[in-house]
């Protein structure tokens, strides 16, 4: 029998461990044969964030995870750097006996990957970044998160200013723009000012804002870029763009799309999530 290896990208799980197991089953996922890329926001809002992290740690080697904004938020909440949000469901992790191991594992996950011809990020990229610059910006952040001063780094990281990328940015301003781009971006204006106020779909945004992927000068236009984060945008499956947050945590689907090297989207598999977190 011929063994065909499967390579898949999946969107935001957000603690929907049951949906994740259902999706692995629907894919007939085999850790020894297949590879799965999880595009960040593994935790929060859903019912079993600890279950998701433990499963990812167990599948390490076959499953590669990116950090999303909720994952970074968890690191900050765990160290008392940010308050727990009203709708956060992070208690199960924070009070677990293995919390330390989960958080250390999380800190080692990247913010961008390029594999099988596909650039993967949680939210998006800057129009001026090519694949190499996206990866090098992401590693600047990983270095800080893995440094022994990582807690101090997190205390300075959060905020919306500056809202515009510039190659000459340094220090925490630079880090903040990189993290906000990779884990939070949805819209920007043609001059590159990011907007963090609009989280709904494309029809409801003011006319001066464009989705990051539609910026006319985007340098990753010829690469397959896969991202999650934007559930109101929903599924996009084009030859060079994959938007995969289909709102599992809001009672939608958890979506996987196969990646056919070098960088073409293949078949799609979806499972319905029974979770319905409140908005
Ligand atoms: Mn997100």
């Amino acid at each position: 029998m011929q063994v065909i290896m499967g390579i898949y990208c999946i969107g935001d799980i957000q603690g929907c461990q049951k949906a994740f197991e259902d999706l692995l089953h629907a894919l007939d996922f085999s850790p020894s044969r297949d590879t799965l890329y999880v595009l960040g926001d593994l935790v929060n809002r859903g019912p079993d964030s600890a279950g998701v992290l433990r499963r990812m740690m167990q599948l390490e080697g076959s499953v590669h995870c990116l950090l999303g904004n909720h994952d970074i938020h968890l690191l900050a909440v765990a160290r008392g750097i940010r308050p727990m949000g009203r709708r956060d469901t992070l208690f199960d992790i924070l009070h677990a006996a293995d919390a330390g191991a989960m958080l250390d594992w999380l800190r080692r996950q990247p913010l961008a990957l390029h594999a099988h011809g596909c650039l993967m990020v949680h939210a998006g990229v800057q129009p001026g970044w090519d694949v190499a610059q996206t990866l090098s910006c992401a590693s600047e952040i990983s270095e800080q998160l893995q440094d022994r001063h990582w807690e101090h780094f997190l205390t300075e990281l959060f905020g919306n200013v500056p809202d515009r990328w510039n190659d000459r940015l340094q220090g925490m301003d630079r880090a903040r723009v990189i993290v906000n781009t990779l884990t939070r971006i949805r819209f920007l204006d043609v001059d590159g000012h990011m907007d963090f106020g609009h989280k709904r779909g494309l029809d409801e945004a003011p006319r001066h804002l464009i989705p990051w992927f539609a910026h006319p000068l985007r340098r990753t236009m010829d690469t397959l870029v896969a991202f999650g984060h934007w559930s109101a945008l929903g599924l996009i499956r084009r030859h060079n763009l994959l938007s995969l947050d289909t709102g599992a945590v809001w009672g939608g689907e958890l979506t996987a799309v196969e990646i056919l090297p070098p960088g073409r989207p293949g078949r799609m598999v979806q499972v319905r999530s029974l979770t319905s977190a409140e908005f």
Side-chain angles (χ1 to χ4, degrees):
M1 195 183 107
Q2 192 189 5
V3 177
I4 302 171
M5 153 183 100
I7 300 159
Y8 308 96
C9 273
I10 77 168
D12 306 35
I13 300 173
Q14 295 205 248
C16 298
Q17 165 60 9
K18 171 70 169 66
F20 179 59
E21 290 304 328
D22 289 349
L23 187 61
L24 290 178
H25 185 76
L27 289 169
D28 188 25
F29 185 81
S30 158
S32 58
R33 179 194 62 199
D34 303 324
T35 306
L36 181 67
Y37 294 89
V38 181
L39 302 176
D41 279 358
L42 286 74
V43 303
N44 212 1
R45 304 283 197 265
D48 189 9
S49 294
V52 172
L53 290 185
R54 290 188 189 111
R55 189 72 166 113
M56 296 304 168
M57 292 166 76
Q58 187 191 33
L59 289 167
E60 192 155 26
S62 320
V63 176
H64 306 274
C65 297
L66 295 180
L67 291 179
N69 52 310
H70 283 286
D71 307 310
I72 295 175
H73 172 69
L74 165 62
L75 292 172
V77 169
R79 307 316 297 176
I81 293 162
R82 297 193 93 193
M84 181 94 83
R86 188 175 57 84
R87 294 172 301 157
D88 287 356
T89 56
L90 299 169
F91 283 107
D92 60 333
I93 297 176
L94 301 176
H95 296 287
D98 55 345
M102 287 192 271
L103 297 167
D104 282 342
W105 175 86
L106 200 59
R107 243 166 7 100
R108 294 199 310 272
Q109 307 313 306
L111 285 88
L113 283 171
H114 184 235
H116 318 287
C118 181
L119 178 65
M120 307 169 209
V121 292
H122 175 62
V125 298
Q126 284 290 329
W129 292 355
D130 59 12
V131 172
Q133 189 169 10
T134 303
L135 295 173
S136 83
C137 284
S139 358
E140 288 180 32
I141 304 305
S142 295
E143 243 171 65
Q144 297 292 327
L145 287 177
Q146 289 161 39
D147 186 87
R148 63 196 172 93
H149 300 299
W150 68 278
E151 294 190 31
H152 183 255
F153 176 71
L154 281 186
T155 61
E156 305 279 321
L157 185 63
F158 298 92
N160 294 343
V161 182
D163 65 358
R164 190 184 187 192
W165 171 254
N166 166 343
D167 284 320
R168 294 177 303 280
L169 281 173
Q170 292 193 334
M172 288 312 300
D173 281 349
R174 181 181 177 91
R176 204 172 298 117
V177 175
I178 293 173
V179 170
N180 286 343
T181 301
L182 293 171
T183 71
R184 294 179 61 210
I185 198 172
R186 289 186 183 89
F187 291 103
L188 37 58
D189 67 19
V190 280
D191 296 324
H193 295 278
M194 295 183 280
D195 172 275
F196 297 108
H198 294 89
K199 302 186 175 186
R200 306 294 303 163
L202 302 186
D203 337 341
E204 293 174 50
R207 298 196 61 156
H208 72 284
L209 293 177
I210 46 181
W212 64 267
F213 53 81
H215 194 286
L217 301 177
R218 181 164 63 87
R219 295 180 68 191
T220 45
M221 206 82 87
D222 295 330
T223 305
L224 175 62
V225 180
F227 65 101
H229 182 62
W230 197 344
S231 60
L233 179 69
L235 182 74
I236 295 176
R237 185 164 58 131
R238 295 184 205 148
H239 82 281
N240 58 3
L241 198 68
L242 281 177
S243 164
L244 295 180
D245 182 359
T246 45
V249 76
W250 312 119
E253 281 90 28
L254 188 61
T255 300
V257 171
E258 187 175 15
I259 305 297
L260 304 169
R264 277 187 307 118
R267 74 180 173 121
M268 176 173 77
V269 174
Q270 291 190 308
V271 295
R272 178 154 285 277
S273 166
L274 295 175
T275 304
S276 191
E278 59 166 307
F279 273 93

